Amino acid sequence: MLPQITNYEINLKVGQNIHQMTNSWSRLGYYSIKCKTLNELNQIINQVEEHVKFIVE
């Protein structure tokens, strides 16, 4: 885990059905980032998006 990510949770298991999100309470998970600049934030978001994938068939 990146040190800037202070907390995360993914509420999904392999093979689980994914329903359309209707509000923030129906999200699949979250992560919290602590950093000093917007540029650093964007870099971390890009790194997370490279490593966490939701494949829908």
Side-chain angles (χ1 to χ4, degrees), residues 2-17:
L2 297 169
Q4 297 91 340
I5 297 178
T6 59
N7 191 18
Y8 72 94
E9 185 173 328
I10 297 176
N11 302 314
L12 191 63
K13 294 183 173 99
V14 173
Q16 182 176 338
N17 289 333

Side-chain angles (χ1 to χ4, degrees), residues 13-36:
K13 294 183 173 99
V14 173
Q16 182 176 338
N17 289 333
I18 299 174
H19 302 285
Q20 182 176 0
M21 292 189 337
T22 56
N23 58 47
S24 64
W25 293 106
S26 62
R27 64 181 174 248
L28 302 175
Y30 67 90
Y31 57 96
S32 301
I33 299 173
K34 182 177 180 180
C35 57
K36 294 181 180 180

Side-chain angles (χ1 to χ4, degrees), residues 27-56:
R27 64 181 174 248
L28 302 175
Y30 67 90
Y31 57 96
S32 301
I33 299 173
K34 182 177 180 180
C35 57
K36 294 181 180 180
T37 66
L38 179 59
N39 186 47
E40 183 182 4
L41 174 64
N42 289 327
Q43 289 176 349
I44 295 167
I45 290 171
N46 289 335
Q47 289 179 26
V48 170
E49 289 177 350
E50 289 176 7
H51 291 92
V52 177
K53 302 285 183 198
F54 294 99
I55 300 170
V56 180

